[in-house]
């Protein structure tokens, strides 16, 4: 992650002197919580090396980063012990604490007296072993969170410790259906043409249109074309013995 950021910034600085243009030139997608450290690392670079003030650095960071979540399973919602940061990355921990302080001040102003909410959305999980909630860090440190629609609902409704419910405008579900659409377009182009002939090309960007292929009046015609499309696919010889 640190090497990728360093390379992106090196290339950006070749022809750009204005740090405010960083988000116009690059887009950094955090794929689940594994690369969430990009938030404090980019802040560290902008604060300590570029010499920007906090507000400017934070604005550039949020605009440059976006976060994708694929599942609510623990491996995609990591929590890293604060002790690790204290030993290995103390400067990054300082930045995370400051991000959290400012974020909680904002939440406290929006929801006065609701200390329970603050504890749930905090970037730091209190307890016998304090931990950094990496999903919260990614959400707060980015301008957009995308994932499955089911994830978004669950995140906002059932998992109150995530700050998603307080920033509904940041959530979208752009990943849903990408793999089936790409498979049809790239691996089975005859079937893709058949679908487009039957219902138009809107399904390419909206998988929800595919059920139209099952409507009465098209079913027999579509099924016949589908059989022809399957027969057009090249046959692959399989090894024997």
């Amino acid at each position: 992650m640190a090497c990728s950021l360093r390379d992106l910034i090196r290339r950006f600085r070749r022809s750009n002197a204005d740090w405010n243009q960083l988000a116009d030139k690059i887009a950094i997608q955090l794929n689940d919580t594994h690369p969430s450290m990009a938030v404090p690392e980019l802040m560290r670079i902008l604060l300590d090396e570029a010499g920007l003030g906090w507000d400017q650095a934070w604005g550039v960071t949020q605009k440059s980063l976006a976060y994708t979540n694929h599942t609510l399973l623990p491996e995609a919602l990591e929590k890293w012990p604060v002790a690790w940061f204290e030993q290995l990355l103390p400067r990054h921990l300082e930045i995370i604490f400051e991000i959290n302080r400012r974020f909680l001040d904002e939440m406290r102003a929006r929801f006065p007296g609701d200390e329970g909410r603050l504890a749930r959305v905090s970037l730091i999980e209190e307890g016998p072993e304090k931990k950094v909630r990496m999903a919260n860090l990614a959400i707060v440190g980015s301008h957009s969170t995308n994932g499955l629609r089911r994830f978004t609902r669950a995140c906002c409704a059932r998992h109150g410790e995530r700050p998603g419910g307080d920033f509904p405008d940041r959530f979208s579900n752009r990943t849903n259906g990408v793999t089936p659409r790409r498979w049809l377009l790239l691996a089975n182009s005859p079937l893709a043409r058949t679908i487009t002939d039957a219902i138009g090309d809107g399904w390419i960007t909206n998988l929800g249109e595919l059920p139209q292929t099952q409507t009465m009046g098209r079913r027999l015609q579509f099924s016949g074309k589908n059989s022809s499309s399957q027969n057009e696919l090249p046959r692959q010889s399989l090894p024997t013995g």
Side-chain angles (χ1 to χ4, degrees):
M1 175 276 301
C3 292
S4 296
L5 278 179
R6 179 68 63 185
D7 184 54
L8 285 169
I9 289 175
R10 176 182 59 83
R11 287 183 284 160
F12 168 76
R13 295 294 284 174
R14 281 177 179 172
S15 56
N16 296 274
D18 184 0
W19 284 103
N20 291 319
Q21 295 182 3
L22 182 66
D24 297 327
K25 303 297 182 179
I26 68 172
I28 303 169
Q29 194 72 29
L30 309 179
N31 194 22
D32 284 326
T33 51
H34 318 311
S36 296
M37 282 297 294
V39 177
E41 172 62 6
L42 183 53
M43 283 293 291
R44 185 196 66 79
I45 292 171
L46 296 174
L47 291 170
D48 298 350
E49 299 182 15
L52 303 187
W54 181 276
D55 291 340
Q56 183 182 6
W58 184 238
V60 171
T61 295
Q62 282 189 312
K63 292 175 184 177
S64 301
L65 299 176
Y67 167 50
T68 294
N69 185 289
H70 297 99
T71 176
L72 289 170
L73 294 175
E75 59 264 28
L77 297 173
E78 297 169 284
K79 299 176 183 179
W80 293 10
V82 167
W84 292 1
F85 289 89
E86 291 174 338
Q87 296 176 20
L88 302 173
L89 299 166
R91 177 55 175 151
H92 293 76
L93 183 59
E94 289 179 350
I95 293 172
I96 291 171
F97 280 159
E98 181 62 15
I99 292 171
N100 195 45
R101 184 189 70 79
R102 292 169 179 253
F103 170 64
L104 291 182
D105 284 348
E106 176 188 348
M107 296 300 293
R108 192 174 287 111
R110 292 177 58 188
F111 305 99
D114 193 346
E115 295 301 317
R117 181 188 295 269
L118 298 183
R120 291 193 300 272
V121 303
S122 174
L123 275 59
I124 307 299
E125 180 179 270
E126 303 293 340
E129 182 183 37
K130 288 187 178 182
K131 296 181 179 180
V132 178
R133 293 166 171 159
M134 304 304 283
N136 293 31
L137 178 61
I139 292 171
V140 172
S142 62
H143 66 273
S144 172
T145 297
N146 74 291
L148 304 184
R149 182 180 288 115
R150 187 171 298 173
F151 157 74
T152 303
R153 284 204 304 265
C155 181
C156 294
R158 294 203 310 271
H159 291 258
E161 71 274 14
R162 250 65 79 187
D166 300 307
F167 300 97
D169 56 316
R170 293 191 189 180
F171 282 77
S172 61
N173 60 303
R174 295 192 181 101
T175 58
N176 214 0
V178 168
T179 299
R181 293 198 301 268
R182 285 180 59 82
W183 184 87
L184 283 175
L185 285 171
L186 300 178
N188 197 338
S189 55
L191 178 56
R193 288 195 300 270
T194 298
I195 295 173
T196 298
D197 289 344
I199 65 172
D201 61 3
W203 67 275
I204 296 174
T205 55
N206 181 8
L207 197 67
E209 294 192 10
L210 282 180
Q212 295 181 48
T213 61
Q214 300 175 356
T215 57
M216 295 299 295
R218 288 178 176 168
R219 185 171 298 162
L220 293 177
Q221 179 183 9
F222 180 83
S223 298
K225 287 185 177 181
N226 186 26
S227 298
S228 300
S229 297
Q230 289 176 340
N231 291 335
E232 292 177 22
L233 293 176
R235 298 181 182 274
Q236 180 177 0
S237 298
L238 299 177
T240 58

